[in-house]
Amino acid sequence: MLTPLRERNYRLWALSDLVSVGGTWMQVLGMNWLVLTATGSAAAMGVIVMLQALPVLLLGSWGGALADRLPARPVLVTSQAVRALLSLVLVATTMSGAGSLLPVYLVAVLSGVISAIEGPSLGRFGSALVSRDALAPALALGSVLSSAGRILGMALGGVLAGLTGPGLLFAINAVTFGAVILALALVRPAEMYPLARAAAGTADAGVRAGLRYLATQPVVLVVLALAFVIGSLGRNYQVTMAAMVAGPLHGGAGGYGITSTVFAVGAVLGGLLLAGTGRATHRVLAGAGALISVLQLLSAAAPDLVTFSLLILPIAAGAVIFDTVVGTRVMLDTREDMRGRVLASLALVSSLAGIVGAPTLGWLADTVGARGALAVAGVITTAAALAGALVLARVKGTPVPVLRTARRVLGPIVLRRIPAAPSRTAAFIPVQAGPAAPHPGPPVHHGSTHPGPNRPGTSTRPAVAAHLAEHPVHHRRTLIAVGTGRRGRAVTDHRLR
């Protein structure tokens, strides 16, 4: 767990990240407070979120291409300085007492533009602070620090907003960017693990080259597809938790506060668990996705707030593990000179998941109720997690133990001759030699190595085999072989063709 902390550069970056995340969530709370008090509309707060996400969708790919070509440190210093200036704009807006929210909306859009350019560079820079083997624990510890920063920022921001108003929150956030700039200045390049960069002006340095490369990586595409489905219908907990607590559980604001706290604790525990094990494999990814999906389905039937909170705890832990493993696999399974563009694609998928998932879950909650929304979403995400696991196994050629066992157990049953009930004697159809038999020759077996009881001495085979002999199937692969990592036994033996 502590392997990444042995790196001086990572320790500096982690501490500055904790400070910066806390300040960011204080500003988020302050912006929501400012907009809500000015308009009294929750929809207006949704506009802020949309304005911040839209530039990532439109410009994220170009930000990834820049990250693969430009050195990360100058980009990050510039972006942090601009963010500090935007926070000061919010301070000035608050102090002026102007009723217009146009500066707030402008800051939201510009923040989204910075995120589109800065995000891939942050990912490349952070992954260069530790060795490849320590990447998964480093990302997991980063998740823990982000969760801790969010808790501290929201808690302190809530107190300060009530005492002084949102202006102080924006000022504190502007100062926190100085901590990041200081950490960037203190990081020692000689102790970093440099990543390959795409040469500017070459065919591999553009956005299209990144998309072409991504199209040739089926494993990464499956991971991104899982991240979208589970992220849209299984990760928008701010919608589902609020709908359940305010609706069938009748928890009110206090109940929502309890579930939010439980979720934050679960997120920290999940990050610590992954950091301790360091296992960021595709099996962990699929298992975490299936776990949180099944638990989400079960949470739809929670009879009270206590039960719902007990289910939220492992859901939050599994969600952090899932998100962290997604980020780890996307980086480890791709070329270093493409990492920025791949990370930009992941950011785009995450933004789309939020934009699509939150309204969809809200519509489902209004249409079929909060329990129905959780149930429908849980069924879809569970099916997606299982399908994703099978596809990953097939693409990688990795055996799936459950399916291998099923093949061993069910294979002989499927391929064995069909018994007749109730006498338990096999119903055979003799093979007629002559013109009607397209493949005369020695006796054939049933596609199974099992000798079978009381096998007749004459050339016989079951009705199914007789039908297949008339309609030979070449290179047939049985469904039971899906996910076993090797070719399944053909339903027809090669001597039947």
PDB file of all heavy atoms in Angstrom, residues 101 132 142-143 179 261 264 279 287 289 314 355 393 404 409 427 449 462 478 496:
ATOM      1  N   LEU A 101     -25.562  36.556 -13.074  1.00  0.00           N
ATOM      2  CA  LEU A 101     -24.796  35.318 -12.952  1.00  0.00           C
ATOM      3  C   LEU A 101     -23.949  35.049 -14.184  1.00  0.00           C
ATOM      4  O   LEU A 101     -23.348  33.972 -14.301  1.00  0.00           O
ATOM      5  CB  LEU A 101     -25.746  34.134 -12.723  1.00  0.00           C
ATOM      6  CG  LEU A 101     -26.484  34.106 -11.380  1.00  0.00           C
ATOM      7  CD1 LEU A 101     -27.419  32.918 -11.328  1.00  0.00           C
ATOM      8  CD2 LEU A 101     -25.510  34.073 -10.218  1.00  0.00           C
ATOM      9  N   ARG A 132       5.864   1.587 -13.110  1.00  0.00           N
ATOM     10  CA  ARG A 132       4.702   0.920 -13.698  1.00  0.00           C
ATOM     11  C   ARG A 132       4.042  -0.027 -12.702  1.00  0.00           C
ATOM     12  O   ARG A 132       2.819  -0.111 -12.621  1.00  0.00           O
ATOM     13  CB  ARG A 132       5.139   0.157 -14.951  1.00  0.00           C
ATOM     14  CG  ARG A 132       4.019  -0.566 -15.687  1.00  0.00           C
ATOM     15  CD  ARG A 132       4.570  -1.315 -16.884  1.00  0.00           C
ATOM     16  NE  ARG A 132       3.533  -2.058 -17.566  1.00  0.00           N
ATOM     17  CZ  ARG A 132       2.800  -1.581 -18.548  1.00  0.00           C
ATOM     18  NH1 ARG A 132       2.985  -0.339 -18.958  1.00  0.00           N
ATOM     19  NH2 ARG A 132       1.872  -2.325 -19.128  1.00  0.00           N
ATOM     20  N   GLY A 142      -4.587   7.895  -4.614  1.00  0.00           N
ATOM     21  CA  GLY A 142      -5.128   9.146  -5.121  1.00  0.00           C
ATOM     22  C   GLY A 142      -6.629   9.230  -4.923  1.00  0.00           C
ATOM     23  O   GLY A 142      -7.162  10.304  -4.597  1.00  0.00           O
ATOM     24  N   SER A 143      -7.325   8.098  -5.108  1.00  0.00           N
ATOM     25  CA  SER A 143      -8.773   8.074  -4.869  1.00  0.00           C
ATOM     26  C   SER A 143      -9.100   8.328  -3.402  1.00  0.00           C
ATOM     27  O   SER A 143     -10.054   9.040  -3.076  1.00  0.00           O
ATOM     28  CB  SER A 143      -9.346   6.719  -5.310  1.00  0.00           C
ATOM     29  OG  SER A 143      -9.179   6.520  -6.693  1.00  0.00           O
ATOM     30  N   ALA A 179      -0.448  25.796  -3.957  1.00  0.00           N
ATOM     31  CA  ALA A 179       0.183  24.580  -3.431  1.00  0.00           C
ATOM     32  C   ALA A 179       0.556  23.640  -4.568  1.00  0.00           C
ATOM     33  O   ALA A 179       1.624  22.997  -4.539  1.00  0.00           O
ATOM     34  CB  ALA A 179      -0.776  23.886  -2.460  1.00  0.00           C
ATOM     35  N   THR A 261     -22.492  10.523   3.935  1.00  0.00           N
ATOM     36  CA  THR A 261     -21.335  10.237   4.792  1.00  0.00           C
ATOM     37  C   THR A 261     -20.903   8.785   4.663  1.00  0.00           C
ATOM     38  O   THR A 261     -19.705   8.475   4.564  1.00  0.00           O
ATOM     39  CB  THR A 261     -21.664  10.562   6.255  1.00  0.00           C
ATOM     40  OG1 THR A 261     -22.064  11.930   6.360  1.00  0.00           O
ATOM     41  CG2 THR A 261     -20.462  10.299   7.146  1.00  0.00           C
ATOM     42  N   ALA A 264     -19.063   8.303   1.461  1.00  0.00           N
ATOM     43  CA  ALA A 264     -17.694   8.809   1.524  1.00  0.00           C
ATOM     44  C   ALA A 264     -16.777   7.843   2.275  1.00  0.00           C
ATOM     45  O   ALA A 264     -15.635   7.595   1.859  1.00  0.00           O
ATOM     46  CB  ALA A 264     -17.677  10.184   2.189  1.00  0.00           C
ATOM     47  N   ARG A 279      -3.976  -5.068  -6.825  1.00  0.00           N
ATOM     48  CA  ARG A 279      -4.486  -5.900  -7.917  1.00  0.00           C
ATOM     49  C   ARG A 279      -5.447  -5.072  -8.772  1.00  0.00           C
ATOM     50  O   ARG A 279      -6.591  -4.826  -8.373  1.00  0.00           O
ATOM     51  CB  ARG A 279      -5.203  -7.135  -7.365  1.00  0.00           C
ATOM     52  CG  ARG A 279      -4.261  -8.122  -6.681  1.00  0.00           C
ATOM     53  CD  ARG A 279      -5.042  -9.298  -6.094  1.00  0.00           C
ATOM     54  NE  ARG A 279      -5.853  -9.962  -7.092  1.00  0.00           N
ATOM     55  CZ  ARG A 279      -5.420 -10.906  -7.914  1.00  0.00           C
ATOM     56  NH1 ARG A 279      -4.138 -11.252  -7.863  1.00  0.00           N
ATOM     57  NH2 ARG A 279      -6.218 -11.478  -8.778  1.00  0.00           N
ATOM     58  N   GLY A 287     -15.294  -8.054 -11.742  1.00  0.00           N
ATOM     59  CA  GLY A 287     -15.903  -8.449 -10.478  1.00  0.00           C
ATOM     60  C   GLY A 287     -16.466  -7.265  -9.720  1.00  0.00           C
ATOM     61  O   GLY A 287     -17.570  -7.336  -9.160  1.00  0.00           O
ATOM     62  N   GLY A 289     -17.469  -4.424 -11.047  1.00  0.00           N
ATOM     63  CA  GLY A 289     -18.645  -3.964 -11.775  1.00  0.00           C
ATOM     64  C   GLY A 289     -19.869  -4.817 -11.490  1.00  0.00           C
ATOM     65  O   GLY A 289     -20.970  -4.293 -11.291  1.00  0.00           O
ATOM     66  N   PRO A 314     -20.641  -0.953   0.788  1.00  0.00           N
ATOM     67  CA  PRO A 314     -19.859  -1.737  -0.187  1.00  0.00           C
ATOM     68  C   PRO A 314     -20.029  -1.245  -1.616  1.00  0.00           C
ATOM     69  O   PRO A 314     -19.131  -1.431  -2.442  1.00  0.00           O
ATOM     70  CB  PRO A 314     -20.411  -3.162  -0.015  1.00  0.00           C
ATOM     71  CG  PRO A 314     -21.769  -2.993   0.570  1.00  0.00           C
ATOM     72  CD  PRO A 314     -21.697  -1.778   1.430  1.00  0.00           C
ATOM     73  N   ILE A 355     -23.756  12.939 -18.363  1.00  0.00           N
ATOM     74  CA  ILE A 355     -24.781  13.679 -19.099  1.00  0.00           C
ATOM     75  C   ILE A 355     -25.969  12.786 -19.458  1.00  0.00           C
ATOM     76  O   ILE A 355     -27.124  13.204 -19.386  1.00  0.00           O
ATOM     77  CB  ILE A 355     -24.164  14.305 -20.368  1.00  0.00           C
ATOM     78  CG1 ILE A 355     -23.183  15.404 -19.977  1.00  0.00           C
ATOM     79  CG2 ILE A 355     -25.241  14.870 -21.287  1.00  0.00           C
ATOM     80  CD1 ILE A 355     -22.408  15.987 -21.148  1.00  0.00           C
ATOM     81  N   ALA A 393     -12.716 -12.007 -21.674  1.00  0.00           N
ATOM     82  CA  ALA A 393     -12.097 -13.326 -21.649  1.00  0.00           C
ATOM     83  C   ALA A 393     -11.875 -13.853 -23.057  1.00  0.00           C
ATOM     84  O   ALA A 393     -10.825 -14.435 -23.358  1.00  0.00           O
ATOM     85  CB  ALA A 393     -12.973 -14.299 -20.852  1.00  0.00           C
ATOM     86  N   ARG A 404     -15.638 -22.843 -17.854  1.00  0.00           N
ATOM     87  CA  ARG A 404     -14.883 -24.075 -18.090  1.00  0.00           C
ATOM     88  C   ARG A 404     -15.508 -25.234 -17.337  1.00  0.00           C
ATOM     89  O   ARG A 404     -15.613 -26.347 -17.854  1.00  0.00           O
ATOM     90  CB  ARG A 404     -13.428 -23.872 -17.654  1.00  0.00           C
ATOM     91  CG  ARG A 404     -12.661 -22.892 -18.533  1.00  0.00           C
ATOM     92  CD  ARG A 404     -11.192 -22.851 -18.177  1.00  0.00           C
ATOM     93  NE  ARG A 404     -10.552 -24.134 -18.455  1.00  0.00           N
ATOM     94  CZ  ARG A 404      -9.252 -24.348 -18.275  1.00  0.00           C
ATOM     95  NH1 ARG A 404      -8.481 -23.390 -17.800  1.00  0.00           N
ATOM     96  NH2 ARG A 404      -8.732 -25.518 -18.565  1.00  0.00           N
ATOM     97  N   VAL A 409     -18.968 -30.160 -17.412  1.00  0.00           N
ATOM     98  CA  VAL A 409     -20.132 -30.870 -16.881  1.00  0.00           C
ATOM     99  C   VAL A 409     -21.189 -31.070 -17.951  1.00  0.00           C
ATOM    100  O   VAL A 409     -21.740 -32.171 -18.117  1.00  0.00           O
ATOM    101  CB  VAL A 409     -20.720 -30.103 -15.679  1.00  0.00           C
ATOM    102  CG1 VAL A 409     -22.018 -30.742 -15.222  1.00  0.00           C
ATOM    103  CG2 VAL A 409     -19.713 -30.055 -14.546  1.00  0.00           C
ATOM    104  N   ALA A 427     -32.444 -44.334 -27.922  1.00  0.00           N
ATOM    105  CA  ALA A 427     -33.174 -44.453 -29.181  1.00  0.00           C
ATOM    106  C   ALA A 427     -32.199 -44.194 -30.310  1.00  0.00           C
ATOM    107  O   ALA A 427     -31.722 -43.085 -30.477  1.00  0.00           O
ATOM    108  CB  ALA A 427     -34.320 -43.444 -29.228  1.00  0.00           C
ATOM    109  N   THR A 449     -16.120 -38.591 -26.191  1.00  0.00           N
ATOM    110  CA  THR A 449     -15.224 -39.714 -25.930  1.00  0.00           C
ATOM    111  C   THR A 449     -15.837 -40.713 -24.967  1.00  0.00           C
ATOM    112  O   THR A 449     -15.251 -41.745 -24.686  1.00  0.00           O
ATOM    113  CB  THR A 449     -13.904 -39.200 -25.346  1.00  0.00           C
ATOM    114  OG1 THR A 449     -14.190 -38.430 -24.174  1.00  0.00           O
ATOM    115  CG2 THR A 449     -13.182 -38.296 -26.353  1.00  0.00           C
ATOM    116  N   PRO A 462     -27.028 -41.405 -32.645  1.00  0.00           N
ATOM    117  CA  PRO A 462     -28.293 -40.824 -32.210  1.00  0.00           C
ATOM    118  C   PRO A 462     -28.976 -40.062 -33.331  1.00  0.00           C
ATOM    119  O   PRO A 462     -28.389 -39.732 -34.351  1.00  0.00           O
ATOM    120  CB  PRO A 462     -27.879 -39.869 -31.092  1.00  0.00           C
ATOM    121  CG  PRO A 462     -26.463 -40.183 -30.784  1.00  0.00           C
ATOM    122  CD  PRO A 462     -25.905 -40.864 -31.953  1.00  0.00           C
ATOM    123  N   THR A 478     -19.199 -24.658 -30.014  1.00  0.00           N
ATOM    124  CA  THR A 478     -20.346 -24.734 -29.124  1.00  0.00           C
ATOM    125  C   THR A 478     -20.441 -23.491 -28.272  1.00  0.00           C
ATOM    126  O   THR A 478     -19.438 -22.862 -27.930  1.00  0.00           O
ATOM    127  CB  THR A 478     -20.216 -25.961 -28.205  1.00  0.00           C
ATOM    128  OG1 THR A 478     -19.024 -25.811 -27.450  1.00  0.00           O
ATOM    129  CG2 THR A 478     -20.158 -27.236 -29.011  1.00  0.00           C
ATOM    130  N   LEU A 496     -17.713 -37.197 -39.436  1.00  0.00           N
ATOM    131  CA  LEU A 496     -19.085 -37.106 -39.922  1.00  0.00           C
ATOM    132  C   LEU A 496     -19.177 -36.238 -41.149  1.00  0.00           C
ATOM    133  O   LEU A 496     -20.220 -36.190 -41.778  1.00  0.00           O
ATOM    134  CB  LEU A 496     -19.968 -36.513 -38.821  1.00  0.00           C
ATOM    135  CG  LEU A 496     -20.283 -37.421 -37.638  1.00  0.00           C
ATOM    136  CD1 LEU A 496     -21.102 -36.669 -36.627  1.00  0.00           C
ATOM    137  CD2 LEU A 496     -20.994 -38.664 -38.091  1.00  0.00           C
TER     138      LEU A 496
END
